[in-house]
């Protein structure tokens, strides 16, 4: 089903009705609500523990602890930097790679890739639109909270709507295969078309993780750890209250008081005048430290396992001391598995990106050979802890076997400035010939 048939079948051929109807549909709004909830959890600290009510005792409100843990942010930062701390490099025919590297540098695609993976980690999906502006090929990463992709019955994207609301005005950017339309109601009127232009690169690229419920949308991995974090925050907050009462005790007055005063919440250093048969004491609430440690440790280990984050990163019980590279790789095994999985999601989108870049280069008069273009692949350099000495030994052996070039060595050693070293090598070779 193409877009025209879709609009005819569902919206009686009314394009504006299609735009507002898709944005307001129940399925789209439910998905946007999930994304907004994640945004508020990460950005506005709206954790479940913040809804914990205060306690009321004898008519007096006692404030309870509401400790929130920001592990989710740290896990996301680690995952993104573990895979893209070193930028993705292109491999393939030198002629094609040179052209693509120029595009990547001018379009600042390192930042684009970082933003895309950040969205994938947070929301399970990301959207990228490739375009050309002032003869520079660029990409716009669209906020998933503003994204409304439209799919047909076969799971093919037939339209994409970006919707956002600013200063009481609704803005709609509608992408079709051949046109981009911009609508708004800025003058207090009904929706009106304000711009229409040719679309050179088709639909925005939809990066998405696997979703067992809806194959057209991604699944946010952060949902797997929020319940665990909620449990950790609840246990920690309630334990804080319990431990404070344990060390302070609960003041208890027995008998008739001869002073007209209420005992303050923090009762240390205060006194009461009591009748002859009266008594005053602190009742201590027992606190099981070992039970708390076991429960909290279990939740924390579960958090590390589900997030696939090495325990040592968050100063866990595991320590690294004089261990070999194989041992380090085993500690980071789960993180490596997740990085490999995320790299596949990225590669699916990157391949579509290159097709769009190729189209725009052809418009600029730069033709790329099919065979050379199809040879392009993406190389991910995960930030795995490694010994510089072991890396140098491997490179030396490869060089002795003529299995790696000088340029390849420069690409694989982070502390070498490749461009500067190539210029110096050229000067040295020139002096040698003289």
């Amino acid at each position: 089903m193409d877009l025209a048939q879709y609009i005819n079948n569902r919206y009686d051929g009314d394009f504006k009705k299609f735009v507002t109807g898709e944005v307001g549909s129940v399925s789209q709004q439910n998905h946007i609500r999930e994304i907004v909830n994640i945004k508020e959890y990460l950005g506005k600290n709206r954790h479940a523990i913040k809804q914990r009510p205060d306690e009321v005792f004898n008519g007096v409100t006692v404030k309870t602890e509401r400790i929130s843990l920001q592990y989710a942010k740290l896990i996301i930062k680690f995952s993104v930097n573990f895979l893209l701390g070193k930028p993705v490099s292109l491999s393939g025919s030198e002629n094609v790679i040179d052209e693509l590297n120029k595009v990547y540098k001018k379009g600042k695609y390192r930042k684009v890739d970082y933003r895309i993976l950040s969205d994938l980690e947070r929301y399970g999906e990301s959207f990228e639109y490739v375009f050309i502006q002032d003869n520079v090929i660029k990409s716009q990463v669209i906020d998933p909270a503003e994204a409304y992709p439209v799919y047909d019955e076969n799971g093919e994207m037939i339209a994409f709507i970006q919707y956002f609301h600013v200063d009481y005005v609704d803005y709609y950017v509608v992408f079709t295969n051949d046109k981009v339309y911009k609508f708004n109601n800025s003058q207090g009127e009904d929706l009106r078309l304000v711009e229409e232009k040719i679309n050179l690169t088709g639909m925005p690229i939809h990066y998405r993780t696997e979703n067992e419920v809806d194959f057209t949308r991604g699944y946010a991995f952060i949902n797997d750890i929020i319940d665990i974090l909620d449990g950790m925050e609840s246990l920690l907050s309630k334990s804080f209250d319990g431990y404070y009462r344990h060390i302070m005790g609960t003041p208890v007055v027995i008998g008739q008081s001869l002073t007209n005063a209420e005992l303050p919440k923090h009762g240390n250093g205060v006194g009461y005048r009591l009748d002859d048969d009266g008594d005053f004491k602190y009742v201590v609430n027992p606190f099981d430290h070992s039970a708390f440690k076991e429960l909290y440790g279990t939740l924390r280990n579960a958090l590390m396992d589900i997030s696939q984050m090495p325990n040592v990163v968050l100063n866990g019980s595991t320590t690294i001391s004089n261990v070999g590279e194989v041992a380090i790789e085993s500690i980071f095994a789960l993180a490596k598995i997740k990085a490999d999985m995320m790299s596949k999601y990225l590669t699916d989108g990157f391949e579509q990106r290159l097709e769009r870049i190729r189209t725009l280069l052809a418009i600029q008069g730069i033709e790329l050979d099919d065979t050379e273009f199809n040879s392009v692949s993406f190389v991910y350099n995960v930030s795995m802890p490694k010994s510089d000495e072991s890396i140098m030994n491997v490179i030396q052996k490869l060089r002795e076997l003529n299995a790696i070039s000088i340029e390849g060595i420069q690409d694989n050693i982070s502390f070498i400035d490749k461009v500067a070293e190539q210029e110096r090598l050229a000067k040295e070779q020139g002096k040698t010939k003289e």
Side-chain angles (χ1 to χ4, degrees):
M1 180 189 302
D2 61 16
L3 180 59
Q5 291 175 318
Y6 185 90
I7 296 175
N8 283 331
N9 293 344
R10 298 198 178 192
Y11 301 97
D12 299 325
D14 189 329
F15 194 84
K16 292 182 179 179
K17 189 177 178 181
F18 153 74
V19 174
T20 56
E22 285 297 322
V23 169
S25 68
V26 174
S27 60
Q28 296 276 17
Q29 286 299 316
N30 285 341
H31 187 76
I32 295 300
R33 184 68 251 172
E34 292 176 5
I35 292 175
V36 172
N37 286 341
I38 294 173
K39 280 180 172 284
E40 292 179 345
Y41 179 89
L42 294 172
K44 294 185 177 181
N45 202 26
R46 292 188 177 174
H47 298 203
I49 193 63
K50 296 298 183 182
Q51 303 302 317
R52 184 188 178 196
D54 291 328
E55 297 177 1
V56 178
F57 177 74
N58 198 26
V60 178
T61 299
V62 180
K63 288 188 69 66
T64 57
E65 293 290 344
R66 301 179 181 89
I67 300 172
S68 60
L69 304 172
Q70 302 301 328
Y71 279 138
K73 292 181 181 178
L74 184 58
I75 289 169
I76 290 170
K77 290 178 182 178
F78 169 81
S79 299
V80 174
N81 284 281
F82 185 70
L83 180 56
L84 292 185
K86 300 173 184 176
V88 178
S89 56
L90 301 175
S91 175
S93 175
E94 196 167 333
N95 293 331
V96 174
I97 298 303
D98 285 344
E99 290 296 338
L100 293 177
N101 281 337
K102 292 176 185 176
V103 173
Y104 267 53
K105 185 174 182 179
K106 290 182 180 178
K108 298 180 179 179
Y109 273 93
R110 179 178 182 177
K111 291 183 178 179
V112 174
D113 294 347
Y114 196 92
R115 169 74 185 280
I116 289 171
L117 183 56
S118 296
D119 284 349
L120 275 175
E121 288 285 350
R122 286 173 170 83
Y123 318 115
E125 62 184 5
S126 185
F127 298 87
E128 175 191 9
Y129 179 65
V130 184
F131 64 102
I132 187 169
Q133 184 180 49
D134 299 328
N135 290 324
V136 177
I137 298 174
K138 302 178 180 179
S139 281
Q140 174 194 1
V141 180
I142 299 171
D143 188 341
E146 300 175 354
Y148 298 80
V150 181
Y151 288 91
D152 64 12
E153 71 279 6
N154 297 317
E156 296 292 330
M157 189 187 296
I158 56 176
F160 180 90
I161 304 170
Q162 180 186 10
Y163 165 74
F164 52 96
H165 183 87
V166 180
D167 293 335
Y168 307 103
V169 179
D170 295 320
Y171 295 89
Y172 302 82
V173 182
V174 184
F175 299 84
T176 67
N177 281 322
D178 53 359
K179 293 287 184 67
V180 178
Y181 305 90
K182 291 186 179 181
F183 296 86
N184 66 44
N185 55 1
S186 61
Q187 297 181 359
E189 304 172 349
D190 293 334
L191 198 64
R192 62 189 184 91
L193 179 66
V194 295
E195 186 178 354
E196 176 182 339
K197 57 185 179 182
I198 297 174
N199 186 0
L200 299 175
T201 55
M203 301 295 176
I205 302 166
H206 190 180
Y207 298 79
R208 60 180 180 270
T209 59
E210 293 181 12
N211 189 329
E212 297 179 1
V213 178
D214 184 358
F215 68 93
T216 64
R217 307 306 294 252
Y219 177 77
F221 295 127
I222 192 175
N223 289 326
D224 293 338
I225 64 173
I226 286 180
D227 286 345
I228 300 175
L229 287 169
D230 287 345
M232 293 173 67
E233 292 169 345
S234 177
L235 178 62
L236 194 59
S237 298
K238 292 176 182 177
S239 298
F240 246 76
D241 286 336
Y243 188 69
Y244 181 78
R245 291 166 189 168
H246 168 71
I247 60 176
M248 291 294 295
T250 302
V252 177
V253 179
I254 301 173
Q256 180 67 36
S257 172
L258 299 181
T259 56
N260 185 20
E262 289 186 1
L263 192 67
K265 177 184 176 183
H266 304 290
N268 282 353
V270 299
Y272 261 133
R273 293 182 61 189
L274 301 173
D275 219 342
D276 291 340
D277 59 348
D279 189 16
F280 174 81
K281 62 182 178 180
Y282 281 93
V283 178
V284 178
N285 175 35
F287 186 88
D288 193 334
H289 302 79
S290 59
F292 168 79
K293 185 177 180 180
E294 184 68 25
L295 287 172
Y296 191 81
T298 301
L299 287 172
R300 192 179 182 284
N301 288 334
L303 175 66
M304 297 297 99
D305 292 340
I306 299 301
S307 66
Q308 296 175 276
M309 189 171 182
N311 208 14
V312 294
V313 176
L314 294 180
N315 296 321
S317 57
T318 305
T319 58
I320 297 180
S321 177
N322 297 324
V323 296
E325 188 172 340
V326 174
I328 292 176
E329 288 183 357
S330 66
I331 293 172
F332 282 77
L334 287 178
K336 184 67 165 57
I337 290 172
K338 182 180 180 182
D340 290 341
M341 179 178 63
M342 298 304 291
S343 68
K344 291 179 175 61
Y345 300 137
L346 289 176
T347 299
D348 289 342
F350 288 167
E351 290 174 347
Q352 298 179 56
R353 173 199 290 173
L354 291 190
E355 291 289 350
R356 286 157 171 75
I357 290 176
R358 185 184 186 186
T359 299
L360 296 178
L361 286 175
I363 293 174
Q364 293 179 324
I366 302 173
E367 297 288 345
L368 301 180
D369 179 75
D370 286 342
T371 303
E372 293 182 340
F373 181 79
N374 292 331
S375 71
V376 177
S377 61
F378 304 93
V379 180
Y380 298 88
N381 303 296
V382 296
S383 300
M384 181 75 73
K386 291 183 179 180
S387 166
D388 288 337
E389 183 179 356
S390 62
I391 294 174
M392 293 300 297
N393 290 336
V394 172
I395 289 176
Q396 183 177 354
K397 291 178 181 178
L398 290 172
R399 185 59 180 166
E400 290 172 355
L401 295 171
N402 291 324
I404 191 171
S405 65
I406 295 296
E407 188 173 351
I409 294 174
Q410 294 168 346
D411 287 335
N412 285 279
I413 300 179
S414 59
F415 52 81
I416 286 181
D417 185 333
K418 177 181 175 181
V419 176
E421 289 302 322
Q422 284 180 336
E423 292 177 353
R424 292 172 186 145
L425 285 172
K427 290 180 180 179
E428 287 180 2
Q429 290 171 0
K431 289 180 180 179
T432 303
K433 291 178 181 179
E434 292 175 359

